[in-house]
Structure formats: C-alpha cells, structure tokens
Amino acid sequence: MKSALLKAVTILHPESSLNGKKTDVLIENGIIAGFDVPGDENTRVIDCAGKYLSPGFVDLNANFGEPGLETKEDLDSGIKAAAAGGFTAVVAMPNTQPPVHSKAEVSYIVNKTKNAIVDVFPLGTISYNREGKDLAELYDMNMAGAVGFTDGDKPVTDSGLMSRALLYAKGFNGLVMSYAEDSLIAGKGKMNEGEVSTYLGMKGIPSLAEEVMIVRDIFLAEYNDSKIHFSTISTAKSVELIREAKKKGLKITCDVAAHNLVFSDEAVSGFDSHFKVKPPLRTQKDIKALIAGLEDGTIDAIVSQHTPHEIEHKNVEFEIASYGIIGLQTVLPLLVKAGLSPEMMVEKLAVGPRKILGKQMPGLTKGSTANFVVFDTESEWEFNSDTNFSKSVNSPMFGQKLKGKVSLVVNNNQTLNF
C-alpha cells in the first residue's frame, strides 16, 4: 500500500500529543505523512471509526518451530499469525531442534526474517543444548542479535548456573528470563493442584512449584545486582512476591500469558487437552490477583505463549497430551474477555514489552516510520481454518466466535489488512 488515509481513528500512544484523540492519519511509502490532511487521487481511504491506532504489539514469548520443527510452525507462518494478532515484533523462544544455543542459530533466524512485516527477535538459551549443565555462548549470541536468554519451557534447576548466567549477562546488559518452576515439586502433575484436580483424580502442579523458584531467582538477582525477567507467572503469591521485590528496588520484570487471565482450572473438567498448558490454568483467585497485578504495574507485559503442536500431540488423552496452545491471534479477544481497557492493552502489549527489551517506541509524528496496529474491541470474527494463519490448530477457541479484532498492521513499509 503506497498511500493510505486512515479516517477517524482514535490514537492510543502514551508518548504522543495525540494520545486519546480522534484524527485522520496519512501513510505514504511506510512513513507517516501527516494528520488531518487529505491524500491525492491514488490514496486508499480506510474508514477507522470506532477503532484504535497504537504502536505495534510486541510478544515476549512465542514458539516457532524453525529450525528443525517446521511441521509445528515455520518462521513464515509464525510471522503471518503474529501480524494477524496485531504484533509487529515477536521474541522467539529457543525451543527448536537444535536449540538456539549459539550464534549460528541466532544468525539464521535474524537473516531469515530480515525485512519481514514482523520483526523477529531471537532468544538464546541459558545452557548449552538446554541441558541445564554448561553456560551457552551468551555474549556471542548477544552480538549476533539475541535479545535475551532463557531455556524456554525448561526451568534452570541448577542455582549456581542461574547465578553465573545473571552475573555474566550483567557484563553486557543482557536480559535473563526465568521460567519459574521447581520441577521436583511439580513432578508429573498435569494441571493445577487444588479442588478441581482432586475431584478429577488427576495429579496436580502446586502453586508452590512456581513460587519457590521465583523466591530463588529474586535472591539470585539481588545477590548479583542484576536484572531478571519472569516469564508467564500464574499465581497470586507470585504476584505478591514480585510486587515486594519491586518495592525493594530490585531490577525485576514479569509477564503473564493471556489465557491465564481468562481460563481457570475449572475449564479442565471436560478433559479437553487444548486447556493443557504450562504453567497450568490456576484458580479464579489467582486470575483476580493477576489482573490486579496488571493494574498496579507489578506485571509489566502480557504474552501469547504461542505453542503450536501437530494434531497427534493434542488429539489424545489429557494425561499424555503435550502442553501449550496457539495464541498469537487470540491475545486481543482474550483481553477483551478479561475486561481490560484498550489503554491497558496498549500498555501491556506495546509499551511494557519494549521497555523490558530496551527497544525504542515507534514514533507517531510527521516523518516517523510507520509501525502500528489498528484494532477494535467490538468486532466479532470466527477463529477457524479460514482465519487461522498458524500451521497448527491447538486452541480451545478454535471454531468459536471471538470479540476484538485486528484490522490493519503496518511495519517495515509493509501493510496487511485483516
């Protein structure tokens, strides 16, 4: 789209003087050409009444299968799903085969996704091969373009290794992300430990498994005077622990998966394996605490935790099904369902993630490079095989009508309409 005029769109950009105002936005060749000015006869006019324009969303936790697991999701399909969800940047987890544990894998992802409509920022592993034994090549991966380090869905159980990672990354201002789970406490649990798991006769994962690891990593971050980011927290106590650590002035940030703000462990009662995620769906009390944590700033960002699987990994008994759901295209509808305001959505999807990564906010002035999403919270659409851009279909919302829709994404002089 060389030239487009977005008519009567409401701006949601905390750093813009137009924040909260309704205006017309003229885009020419990927650049914001002006506000409340007409285009020429070749300009495409798009009615955006009732819609919001905000900086493009950034997802801090998405799993793409490439390299090695392309049958789940390759980079191209992942980018399309991300754009359809309103994301102009995605932080890719290193859960691939081989894992992203050296500069070779980081460079592959950076080069393969160069100039795509969605910027893909790779994460490197903390440990070589995600084995939790030896430190991976953190500095080399950082120089190649890795924006942080995590062992993905494998917790770093060795406290000494995590401490060394924090101290080493501190030397070049690297970001270490913690997936907080004590695997010995979690054991072979399949869902949240509580009344529902007892009723269903299923082994549960106690909240304690998450909280113990959060306590450990808070102590390690304090000891090393380093920053740390907690990925996908899920319990009320976790929110409380991080809130207190932040009050002490520790350099701690955290995020929550969108599905953990809506679905509770009661959803598992029907043994639908699409509700099998990790961390597990917790209780209504936990959901309430997570939303309170978003409101008071304890939780900095919301993520999709997009985890695609082939059908044979999900269309099986709950006990043996793989963990995870696809989530890039359903974050916005879930946040609408959770009752979050559009302003809060922008804060946790566009502003917070960029602060965590140290990335500059896209400008919204004449002459700025266009990097934004247009969305609304009222439009309904069906998530089905026609609208799904992922290679996988493992979502409890598949086949359902959802409320909240992305209609336009612009980034890197490219535009997609949905």
Side-chain angles (χ1 to χ4, degrees), residues 166-211:
L166 290 167
L167 186 60
Y168 185 62
K170 177 185 171 184
F172 53 87
N173 198 31
L175 178 66
V176 172
M177 295 186 173
S178 168
Y179 170 59
E181 181 193 82
D182 186 314
S183 50
L184 294 176
I185 294 175
K188 295 181 179 178
K190 306 298 179 184
M191 63 173 293
N192 178 57
E193 181 184 86
E195 290 181 13
V196 180
S197 66
T198 303
Y199 171 73
L200 296 176
M202 200 180 297
K203 288 181 181 176
I205 302 173
S207 299
L208 182 68
E210 176 174 305
E211 295 148 10

Side-chain angles (χ1 to χ4, degrees), residues 320-362:
I320 61 173
S322 297
Y323 295 99
I325 64 173
I326 56 170
L328 281 165
Q329 290 182 243
T330 55
V331 169
L332 178 62
L334 282 172
L335 300 191
V336 171
K337 199 168 184 177
L340 271 60
S341 68
E343 292 80 7
M344 176 71 75
M345 295 176 195
V346 172
E347 174 64 32
K348 304 304 178 182
L349 292 176
V351 181
R354 285 186 173 88
K355 286 181 180 176
I356 291 164
L357 296 173
K359 299 288 184 183
Q360 194 171 354
M361 281 280 285

Side-chain angles (χ1 to χ4, degrees), residues 138-179:
L138 306 190
Y139 183 69
D140 283 353
M141 289 190 287
N142 175 74
M143 294 301 291
V147 295
F149 309 98
T150 175
D151 274 357
D153 57 0
K154 284 189 176 181
V156 178
T157 57
D158 186 327
S159 301
L161 181 68
M162 179 58 100
S163 185
R164 289 191 294 277
L166 290 167
L167 186 60
Y168 185 62
K170 177 185 171 184
F172 53 87
N173 198 31
L175 178 66
V176 172
M177 295 186 173
S178 168
Y179 170 59

